Amino acid sequence: MPRAEFISTGFYVPERVVTNDELRQWWDTSDQWIRERTGIKQRYWVEPGKQGGSDLALEATRMALERADMDASELDCIIYATLSPDYFFPGSGVYLQRKLGVFGIPALDIRNQCTGFLYGLAVADAWIRTRQYRRILLVGAEVHSTGLDFGPAGRDLGVLFGDGAGVAILGPTDADDRGVLSTHLFADGRYAELLWCESDASARFPRISHQDLDEGRQYARMQGREVFKHAVARMMESVLAALGAHGLGPGDVDLLIAHQANLRINEVVQRQLDLRDDRVYNNIDRYGNTTAATIPIAIDECVQSGRLRRGTLLVLTAFGSGFTWGSALVRW
Ligand code: UT7
């Protein structure tokens, strides 16, 4: 049975850099607070209304196709992870497909927030192993900046998020020494409301009202400290589950790429796993939290800088709204 391997990667962020200091025009915050509590120094935001997530995904896909020396027509399938779709429906996958001009191939949208790329990777790996599809475009793309609460209640979340897209093209390999070794996915819906966006919603009637808008229910809300604690514990557990499934331990890890939600979360995970600095990669200082896009952006940077080389044992892990979380083990 073949495994999925990464054929190529790419990422794209909008041109507009937004520094922590700039955020002070909307929120009572400071560069010092944001750096110390999150590790973020800047993020990229779209020009409002000019670019949707699928536009960012298109640029990232073009980069990955070029690096793979492939044409979009060679793709068999699109898996698109996002929590900020271009529209409520249809899913963003079909918009990306239209922009790529490859009509007919399936486009699956994944709604698992920060863990979306890993859920997508698990699906892609299963489809490749069962020979359903040979060339899968896996996307993580977000535009957060157009959905932030620029009022006082939005301060905690508003400073965290950035826009961006990262993609991977996956295909089969028969080599037994590389590829996606396994994926490990988890969820616990008891915590759904600790990080969520309440409206508009088919579970409510009306789906959205003027009162909802006045009360800011259209914005994401988070109980940050609770989410922080769960993020550390659940990512740790799932990394150990992934390693344990192969009789491995933290000492075998060449590179850990964790979801970029808060540098402090990742530093605790690094400490608890006792990993040296050269065994972890973080880039939240430059991009903020780009949710489904954080992992593919980080992977691409590691490929381009040579930190990810043939033979590297890579561990991916993520945690987010749902709660959903998971890990994947990849021999590059
Ligand atoms: O990507 C999905 C998963 N998401 C996460 O994993 C995020 C998890 N949570 C976090 O990263 C952190 O909880 C935050 C970065 C969101 C907040 O950091 P914290 O250290 O947990 O701060 P806090 O919420 O406990 O707030 C501490 C203080 C409060 O003031 P008082 O009550 O001590 O006077 C907040 O009002 O910091 C205040 N605060 C801010 N101050 C300046 C909250 N947000 C800000 C801000 N600027 N942006």
Side-chain angles (χ1 to χ4, degrees), residues 9 11 21 56 88 90 122 164 169 185 209 211 216 264 270 273 286 290 293 305 308 310:
T9 55
F11 84 93
D21 277 330
L56 310 187
F88 198 81
I169 299 172
L185 304 179
S209 66
Q211 187 182 346
R264 285 165 51 223
Q270 177 184 350
L273 291 171
R286 282 170 289 136
T290 59
S305 67
L308 255 178
R310 177 61 51 86

Side-chain angles (χ1 to χ4, degrees), residues 71-198:
D71 189 78
S73 61
E74 294 171 69
L75 296 171
D76 298 323
C77 175
I78 297 170
I79 302 178
Y80 192 122
T82 188
L83 69 64
S84 52
D86 290 11
Y87 297 97
F88 198 81
F89 75 87
S92 291
V94 297
Y95 289 103
L96 177 60
Q97 189 214 52
R98 185 164 82 185
K99 285 166 185 164
L100 287 168
V102 286
F103 310 113
I105 64 169
L108 171 70
D109 274 54
I110 300 257
R111 296 289 300 273
N112 291 94
Q113 301 68 245
C114 305
T115 322
F117 190 81
L118 293 186
Y119 270 70
L121 183 63
V123 174
D125 184 41
W127 277 345
I128 286 169
R129 282 174 191 254
T130 54
R131 297 188 167 86
Q132 177 116 5
Y133 301 110
R134 277 185 59 80
R135 293 280 181 266
I136 298 181
L137 174 66
L138 176 58
V139 179
E142 308 285 359
V143 170
H144 286 299
S145 57
T146 52
L148 300 176
D149 177 358
F150 287 94
R155 173 174 76 162
D156 57 342
L157 278 174
V159 303
L160 302 178
F161 287 113
D163 303 336
V167 308
I169 299 172
L170 296 148
T173 174
D174 289 321
D176 48 14
D177 61 347
R178 67 171 191 271
V180 177
L181 304 183
S182 60
T183 55
H184 305 261
L185 304 179
F186 307 92
D188 190 340
R190 287 176 297 178
Y191 301 100
E193 288 81 19
L194 295 194
L195 174 48
W196 74 323
C197 185
E198 190 178 353

Side-chain angles (χ1 to χ4, degrees), residues 149 151-153 199 204 208-219 221:
D149 177 358
S199 200
R204 308 177 88 237
I208 192 160
S209 66
H210 289 291
Q211 187 182 346
D212 292 332
L213 291 172
D214 292 342
E215 292 171 359
R217 292 182 195 276
Q218 71 277 30
Y219 299 121
R221 300 293 180 207

Side-chain angles (χ1 to χ4, degrees), residues 29 33 37 114 155 159 224-225 227 259 261-262 264-265 289:
T29 189
W33 190 96
R37 299 286 180 126
C114 305
R155 173 174 76 162
V159 303
R225 283 185 197 181
V227 176
H259 172 52
N262 185 327
R264 285 165 51 223
I265 293 176
N289 180 349

